[in-house]
Amino acid sequence: MNEALLRELVPAVIGVLVRRGADFAAAEDAVQEALIRALETWPDDPPRDAKGWLVAVAWRKFLDANRAETSRRGRELAVEDEPPAGPVPATDDTLWLYFLCAHPALPAGSAVALTLRAVGGLTTRQIATAYLVPEATMAQRISRAKRRIADLPLDRPGDLATVLRVLYLVFNEGYGGDVDLAAEAIRLTRQLAATTDEPEVSGLLALMLLHHARRASRTAPDGRLVPLAEQDRTRWDTGLIAEGVLILQAALARDRLGEYQAQAAVAALHADAPSTAETDWVQIVEWYDELLRLTDSPVVRLNRAVAVGEADGPRAGLAALAELDPDLPRHTAARAYLHERAGDLEQAAALYAEAARAATTLPEHAHLTREAARVHHLLSP
């Protein structure tokens, strides 16, 4: 191993992390951990791009440490980390690393998983959850992807669709957990939108902004989840909503509809409604129909069934749910909600409790447990 090369690369790698938002001390710590990893692995498996390898590993170490610190500080401090609207910040190497990990030699699914792990900083478990597969299966997929490109030159960037998928999943993980990931996904998507006129890039950016605009209202001061119907809409960021709608309208005007534009259209209809009751559910169902035409996703089918329950009544929604795999995430919770709306309180209480037992996160478990208790209380004489 060329230790002199390692020493020469240290200042440059620290500089990349600092430009991405890390303070110098944290960047230095992360690079030191990356160097330790390099000393362990490079003698047997030297990378072709030493700087790229160090940047990827150091950034992942920084994200891991930052997420742990964020959890200790609490959600209320994370709310202050708002991605700014307006001009795109100066670019760095992160997007290029995304494209390099999305190597043409890899199937799209493997490229996404590898990029999320190597550059996005997500754990194998988080990636497996996003793909609805067991953690062991995802670990094998990532290992195969690493082996497949181990001897290939990292000088052929992957395709745009794969990178968009990675950014989408990174944002989703941040939106449901650590805010720094969501903000980072928005920052990178802004950069990407500034370099291409592809409508789907704009659609993804609009989708992120419209969801992120509701961030402050998604949790109560005590950390509990607040469902969309109960959120304080006066706390929604109208500036981000206006920007997202404007970007979406420009993308739709190109008449090249894609899944991110369709998802953003659903989010825009929610953002535009004064309340859940006043939401244009009929149009939301129509957009879900477009999404199904584009993706045929089981998750989209589940969301559509709930929207049908709002547009045409809970019995219609339950009929749509009955056609889907009951093992889908949120299927039981959706049934509970629709049964409650239909007046079947005993069934709703039992289903909320069942959904709570199957919840994969503590906030979701606590929310569904409270819903079960609330509906059970309604049954008491």
Side-chain angles (χ1 to χ4, degrees), residues 6-288:
L6 279 177
R7 287 194 296 271
E8 291 174 5
L9 288 174
V10 166
V13 177
I14 291 176
V16 171
L17 267 63
V18 170
R19 289 197 298 276
R20 294 183 188 179
D23 63 71
F24 186 86
E28 196 173 38
D29 289 343
V31 172
Q32 288 300 321
E33 290 193 50
L35 289 176
I36 292 171
R37 183 63 178 157
L39 291 170
E40 293 172 346
T41 62
W42 284 17
D44 298 325
D45 187 22
R48 291 182 175 272
D49 180 359
K51 180 184 176 183
W53 189 98
L54 285 172
V55 167
V57 173
W59 182 243
R60 186 168 70 247
K61 297 291 186 183
F62 167 75
L63 286 178
D64 289 342
N66 197 47
R67 281 199 295 272
E69 178 63 23
T70 299
S71 297
R72 285 193 293 270
R73 290 201 311 266
R75 286 180 175 271
E76 69 277 5
L77 294 180
V79 168
E80 298 174 5
D81 183 17
E82 185 65 56
V88 177
T91 59
D92 55 31
D93 296 332
T94 310
L95 267 180
W96 183 239
L97 289 174
Y98 272 62
F99 275 97
L100 290 180
C101 283
H103 198 281
L106 293 175
S110 296
V112 170
L114 177 61
T115 314
L116 288 170
R117 187 71 186 93
V119 187
L122 273 64
T123 66
T124 303
R125 176 172 295 180
Q126 289 171 318
I127 301 168
T129 300
Y131 272 86
L132 309 180
V133 299
E135 184 177 355
T137 300
M138 183 53 64
Q140 291 174 356
R141 185 179 301 177
I142 293 171
S143 296
R144 284 197 299 269
K146 289 178 180 178
R147 289 196 299 271
R148 187 163 183 174
I149 66 172
D151 297 324
L152 298 176
L154 292 178
D155 57 0
R156 297 170 57 203
D159 70 357
L160 180 62
T162 300
V163 173
L164 288 181
R165 181 65 179 167
V166 174
L167 290 169
Y168 173 75
L169 291 172
V170 169
F171 175 81
N172 280 351
E173 184 60 38
Y175 185 67
D178 293 324
V179 174
D180 62 333
L181 282 178
E184 173 70 353
I186 290 173
R187 184 182 71 85
L188 293 174
T189 308
R190 284 192 189 279
Q191 287 186 13
L192 193 56
T195 64
T196 178
D197 61 355
E198 168 57 48
E200 272 293 79
V201 178
S202 296
L204 179 58
L205 179 57
L207 175 64
M208 290 177 175
L209 295 174
L210 289 163
H211 278 306
H212 212 58
R214 304 202 303 260
R215 184 192 66 192
S217 63
R218 292 185 68 248
T219 55
D222 60 3
R224 65 180 177 84
L225 294 178
V226 180
L228 177 62
E230 300 172 18
Q231 288 176 16
D232 180 358
R233 300 186 180 217
T234 64
R235 300 185 66 199
W236 290 1
D237 188 323
T238 55
L240 284 183
I241 290 173
E243 184 186 7
V245 169
L246 189 65
I247 292 171
L248 174 61
Q249 289 173 339
L252 291 174
R254 303 288 299 281
D255 198 24
R256 285 160 52 194
L257 183 65
E259 62 173 301
Y260 300 121
Q261 295 169 71
Q263 287 190 56
V266 172
L269 287 167
H270 283 300
D272 186 56
S275 67
T276 301
E278 297 170 272
T279 302
D280 190 343
W281 289 105
V282 172
Q283 195 173 166
I284 286 178
V285 172
E286 292 173 355
W287 276 113
Y288 276 131

Side-chain angles (χ1 to χ4, degrees), residues 318-340:
L318 286 167
L321 271 181
E323 299 176 3
L324 307 181
D325 183 352
D327 291 330
L328 271 175
R330 294 183 55 243
H331 188 283
T332 304
R335 284 175 60 209
Y337 171 74
L338 291 172
H339 272 290
E340 181 184 357

